[in-house]
């Protein structure tokens, strides 16, 4: 079986689908349409490369969805219409990017875990439309860059754990939004410690670990995360480097100067002069 085809005729009384150790290269849209009582789907040990749009549409009340390793493409809306999931783990993937709307339409999830993968670039809107997750794990991944990581109260994520990741580029200012999360854990990650470190420390990631019910942060971001670059500080805790000796990047200084100039420049209306008399 090279393709998990769409609209497979599945008996409504079937509660478990065991498709491990096959040769499924891709999962087509609506592959499980009509499978209303499925509680477990096992797709491990397949050479699956692509999960197509609407692949799991119409599934609900699935306790465990076990996907294969080696996935290279997750199309936008791949999980659209998948509701009430106990356990969904995506691991050992080799993605060029996590595309916009990857998780749109995925709702009511106890555990969603992205782990031990090459996530490539996390694109803007990747988590848009993901709603009501008890625990979202982003664990032990290589991340080339974060174009945007925008998680707000609309996502209704209770716990977000960002741990053990290797991030090759510092996210640009304003590209990280983490709001409405009850508990955040940011630890054991590796970040660039060059001139962009100041941008990182100004971002919501630098709030470290906290609980919205507990008040003060429960851990120090600098002592619990590490440097990946430059080479001379690779593997060192961020708290061990002298932040004051690292100047801000030229483009950051230029941008801040422009912003300061623009905010200080008075507005001149037509017919008015900057000078009196």
């Amino acid at each position: 079986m090279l393709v998990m085809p769409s609209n497979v005729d599945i008996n409504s009384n079937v509660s478990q689908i065991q498709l491990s150790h096959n040769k499924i290269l891709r999962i087509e849209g609506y592959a499980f349409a009509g499978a209303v009582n499925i509680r477990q789907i096992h797709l491990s040990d397949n050479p699956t490369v692509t999960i197509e749009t609407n692949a799991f549409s119409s599934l609900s009340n699935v306790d465990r969805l076990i996907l294969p390793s080696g996935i290279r493409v997750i199309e936008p809306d791949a999980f659209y219409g998948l509701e009430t999931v106990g356990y969904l783990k995506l691991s050992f993937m080799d993605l060029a990017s996590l595309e916009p709307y990857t998780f749109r339409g995925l709702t009511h999830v106890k555990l969603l875990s992205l782990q031990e993968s090459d996530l490539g670039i996390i694109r803007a809107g990747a988590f848009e439309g993901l709603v009501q997750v008890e625990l979202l794990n982003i664990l032990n991944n290589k991340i080339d860059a974060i174009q945007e990581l925008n998680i707000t109260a609309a996502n209704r994520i209770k716990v977000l754990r960002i741990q053990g990741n290797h991030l090759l580029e510092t996210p640009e200012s304003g590209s990280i939004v983490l709001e409405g999360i009850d508990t955040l854990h940011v630890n054991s990650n590796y970040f660039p410690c060059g001139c962009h470190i100041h941008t990182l420390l100004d971002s919501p990631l630098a709030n470290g670990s906290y609980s919205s019910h507990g008040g003060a942060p429960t851990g120090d971001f600098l002592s619990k995360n590490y440097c990946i670059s430059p080479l001379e500080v690779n593997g060192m805790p961020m708290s061990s480097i002298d932040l004051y000796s690292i100047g801000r990047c030229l483009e950051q200084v230029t941008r801040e100067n422009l912003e300061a100039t623009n905010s200080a420049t008075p507005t001149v209306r037509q017919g008015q002069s900057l000078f009196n008399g």
Side-chain angles (χ1 to χ4, degrees), residues 131-161:
V131 178
Q132 200 156 330
V133 180
E134 291 189 17
L135 173 58
L136 172 57
N137 282 336
I138 303 176
L139 306 176
N140 305 321
N141 302 289
K142 181 176 82 70
I143 302 172
D144 294 338
I146 298 177
Q147 187 180 81
E148 177 189 276
L149 179 59
N150 190 343
I151 294 176
T152 68
N155 295 108
R156 286 187 278 170
I157 293 174
K158 290 185 178 180
V159 180
L160 172 60
R161 179 178 286 113

Side-chain angles (χ1 to χ4, degrees), residues 23-233:
K23 297 181 180 180
I24 300 171
L25 292 179
R26 73 176 190 272
I27 303 171
E28 288 190 345
Y30 303 99
F32 300 95
V36 293
N37 293 314
I38 297 299
R39 305 288 288 173
Q40 295 189 28
I41 299 175
H42 296 267
L43 290 162
S44 58
D45 297 301
N46 277 286
T48 305
V49 174
T50 303
I51 301 177
E52 296 186 358
T53 298
N54 293 311
F56 303 101
S57 184
S58 81
L59 284 173
S60 62
N61 295 307
V62 179
D63 286 335
R64 296 177 73 85
L65 176 53
I66 310 298
L67 295 172
S69 58
I71 293 169
R72 295 184 181 180
V73 177
I74 303 178
E75 293 184 355
D77 295 322
F79 300 97
Y80 194 90
L82 177 57
E83 300 179 358
T84 313
V85 183
Y87 176 92
L88 173 54
K89 182 173 76 170
L90 297 164
S91 60
F92 300 104
M93 299 183 293
D94 186 13
L95 305 179
S97 62
L98 202 59
E99 292 295 314
Y101 310 119
T102 293
F103 298 104
R104 183 167 60 180
L106 175 61
T107 63
H108 297 85
V109 185
K110 287 186 178 180
L111 170 63
L112 171 59
S113 191
L114 284 68
Q115 60 186 75
E116 283 86 34
S117 295
D118 185 346
L119 298 182
I121 300 171
I122 298 180
R123 300 287 185 189
F127 293 94
E128 186 170 330
L130 172 67
V131 178
Q132 200 156 330
V133 180
E134 291 189 17
L135 173 58
L136 172 57
N137 282 336
I138 303 176
L139 306 176
N140 305 321
N141 302 289
K142 181 176 82 70
I143 302 172
D144 294 338
I146 298 177
Q147 187 180 81
E148 177 189 276
L149 179 59
N150 190 343
I151 294 176
T152 68
N155 295 108
R156 286 187 278 170
I157 293 174
K158 290 185 178 180
V159 180
L160 172 60
R161 179 178 286 113
I162 302 173
Q163 178 178 314
N165 301 285
H166 287 66
L167 186 60
L168 303 188
E169 291 185 12
T170 302
E172 292 187 5
S173 178
S175 63
I176 306 290
V177 176
L178 302 176
E179 297 175 349
I181 300 166
D182 288 348
T183 304
L184 174 67
H185 300 281
V186 182
N187 55 72
S188 302
N189 301 286
Y190 289 76
F191 296 100
C193 291
C195 62
H196 288 101
I197 193 171
H198 303 286
T199 301
L200 175 66
L201 296 178
D202 289 339
S203 78
L205 288 174
N207 286 336
S209 300
Y210 69 80
S211 172
S212 62
H213 306 295
T218 59
D220 179 15
F221 175 81
L222 291 174
S223 66
K224 294 192 174 184
N225 292 280
Y226 303 88
C227 295
I228 193 172
S229 62
L231 183 61
E232 58 268 22
V233 295

Side-chain angles (χ1 to χ4, degrees), residues 194-199 246-255:
C195 62
H196 288 101
I197 193 171
H198 303 286
T199 301
I246 302 173
R248 290 179 178 267
C249 297
L250 178 60
E251 67 270 21
Q252 185 178 6
V253 173
T254 302
R255 183 174 61 250

